[in-house]
Amino acid sequence: MSSTRVLVLNSGSSSVKYQLIDMRDGSRLAAGLVERIGEQTSRLIHTHVADGDTREQNGPIADHEAALKAVAAELGRDGLGLDSPELAAIGHRVVHGGMFFTEPTLVDENVLTEIERLIPVAPLHNPANLTGIRTARALRPDLPQVAVFDTAFHTTMPESAARYAIDPKIADRYRVRRYGFHGTSHAYVSRETARLLGKDPSEVNVIVLHLGNGASASAVEGGRCVDTSMGLTPLEGLVMGTRSGDLDPAVIFHLERVGGMSTDEIDTFLNKRSGLFGLCGDNDMREIRRRVDEGDERARLAFDIYIHRLKKYIGAYYAVLGRVDAVAFTAGVGENSAPVREAAVAGLEGLGLAVDGELNAVRGDEARLISPADARVAVAVVPTDEEMEIATQTYALVNGSGNLT
Ligand code: AMP
């Protein structure tokens, strides 16, 4: 029996998300989520796609090992267990691959050691990713496990974009540089945008705006990333749900010296209590728009700051690319918020950018154009699919080809 299935695992600090995908046609066989791992109120939700059956388990799940065993048991109940000969590999999302990992990588002990060495630059993410890989390896030691890195797509950035303007000796000693994140999404969306335009990725320049709870922009030239808005960590760049994005680094010294805040307090403040949430008390764009429509001033200011930053990045990446064929909106806000898309492009007609009001208002799950037919630059909504991208890259590595196209 040929092995054509890939299990994608995304292990977060207190959650595991998973999908089992059949690479023959890209169909989902099962999907689910374990959340609140380590608490009394853990929950596993599992969907077996073929019969539309969704099962839920509530009660404590102590750690990632227990979580993965519970997932394996649920898959087993559907006849899709980890022992199935049809399972070709497990693909793991790993947030930080540093400069070392530029491609999906077959996991061995050396790879695990290197991911571990990157923990200081990704303290929130890499430990959980590692635990997920180690547990999956223990469950199926003979099965290929592939690490797919969020940073990999951005390793093509030129040094002029990847370096901060600080002494390179210090930067290299402490691995301080701009890595970028959401790479699997930027890779997938830039390719799908080219497909929507009926072109090969090597022929098009795309600005990808991944606007979710975390948000990042990238400039993709002929399929290669040449700049992105996140940096050493996912804090740099756009205004996000709870992260500030760009600010003068001196704000940190100021908060320390004048505000009496500790380094850890500032870290939490800028990552968890800033952005849209810090500005107006809400980080969900639906709620913010509802408040804006009711005339709420704080929500209006938060929205305006969000849009102002977005516009600055569109302009900056226009300049970086020189010629832009498309601007693609993706992720929770980008795919769903017509007001954000409209406002982000408003006034940029001089750059050839415009949104057609009627097309922009249409909702849907498919990649689509929202610019007027005669627009110089295509504006598109392109739903992201990070799991499919991880599965495709994983399958390509273990099978020699993973193209679903
Ligand atoms: P993500 O991180 O990609 O899952 O995106 C999550 C964010 O998408 C949420 O915090 C919301 O702000 C936003 N979102 C989801 N659905 C909508 C919608 N219908 N309209 C506006 N924003 C939405």
Side-chain angles (χ1 to χ4, degrees), residues 68-333:
L68 273 191
K69 283 187 173 155
V71 169
E74 285 300 328
L75 288 166
R77 281 178 67 185
D78 298 330
L80 302 169
L82 295 194
D83 52 356
S84 158
E86 284 153 291
L87 189 59
I90 302 183
H92 297 267
R93 176 182 184 218
V94 179
V95 167
H96 216 309
M99 288 174 70
F100 192 77
F101 295 111
T102 58
E103 290 183 342
T105 305
L106 205 55
V107 172
D108 60 17
E109 278 308 317
N110 290 336
V111 170
L112 290 175
T113 305
E114 190 57 32
I115 296 173
E116 199 159 11
R117 280 191 352 117
L118 289 162
I119 286 177
V121 281
L124 295 178
H125 296 102
N126 273 28
N129 302 157
L130 266 175
T131 310
I133 300 177
R134 289 208 164 103
T135 310
R137 282 184 102 206
L139 289 174
R140 271 296 305 267
D142 54 317
L143 193 68
Q145 314 262 339
V146 176
V148 178
F149 299 92
D150 259 19
T151 45
F153 185 61
H154 304 303
T155 53
T156 52
M157 281 197 289
E159 288 291 280
S160 53
R163 283 204 177 265
Y164 294 108
I166 59 173
D167 181 342
K169 285 198 295 297
I170 303 282
D172 291 347
R173 187 181 310 154
Y174 299 110
R175 304 192 195 205
V176 175
R177 63 188 278 124
R178 308 190 57 254
Y179 296 99
F181 298 88
H182 292 145
T184 46
S185 178
H186 287 283
Y188 178 85
V189 170
S190 55
R191 237 186 20 245
E192 287 299 304
T193 306
R195 196 214 294 256
L196 184 66
L197 299 182
K199 301 224 164 115
D200 190 81
S202 63
E203 298 172 304
V204 295
N205 291 350
V206 187
I207 297 173
V208 177
L209 303 170
H210 176 110
L211 310 177
N213 204 21
S216 62
S218 69
V220 183
E221 186 176 55
R224 290 163 64 86
C225 177
V226 292
D227 205 352
T228 193
S229 60
M230 284 176 167
L232 174 72
T233 77
L235 182 56
E236 189 178 341
L238 300 173
V239 176
M240 311 183 210
T242 64
R243 294 180 213 140
S244 63
D246 292 337
L247 38 75
D248 180 345
V251 169
I252 293 162
F253 323 138
H254 187 77
L255 290 176
E256 224 162 42
R257 291 188 191 120
V258 180
M261 291 167 77
S262 70
T263 307
D264 285 347
E265 281 168 348
I266 298 170
D267 192 333
T268 304
F269 176 66
L270 295 178
N271 275 294
K272 304 230 164 93
R273 297 207 303 275
S274 296
L276 293 168
F277 175 78
L279 285 163
C280 75
D282 270 310
N283 60 346
D284 191 316
M285 190 52 80
R286 283 164 288 202
E287 188 57 19
I288 292 168
R289 281 307 312 175
R290 194 190 58 71
R291 286 172 55 187
V292 169
D293 291 341
E294 284 176 356
D296 183 315
E297 286 301 321
R298 272 181 75 202
R300 173 91 249 166
L301 181 63
F303 185 79
D304 289 349
I305 294 171
Y306 183 93
I307 295 297
H308 179 75
R309 185 83 51 86
L310 201 48
K311 257 190 192 166
K312 285 213 299 200
Y313 271 92
I314 294 173
Y317 288 171
Y318 210 117
V320 166
L321 291 168
R323 186 201 85 223
V324 175
D325 299 295
V327 173
F329 287 88
T330 194
V333 176

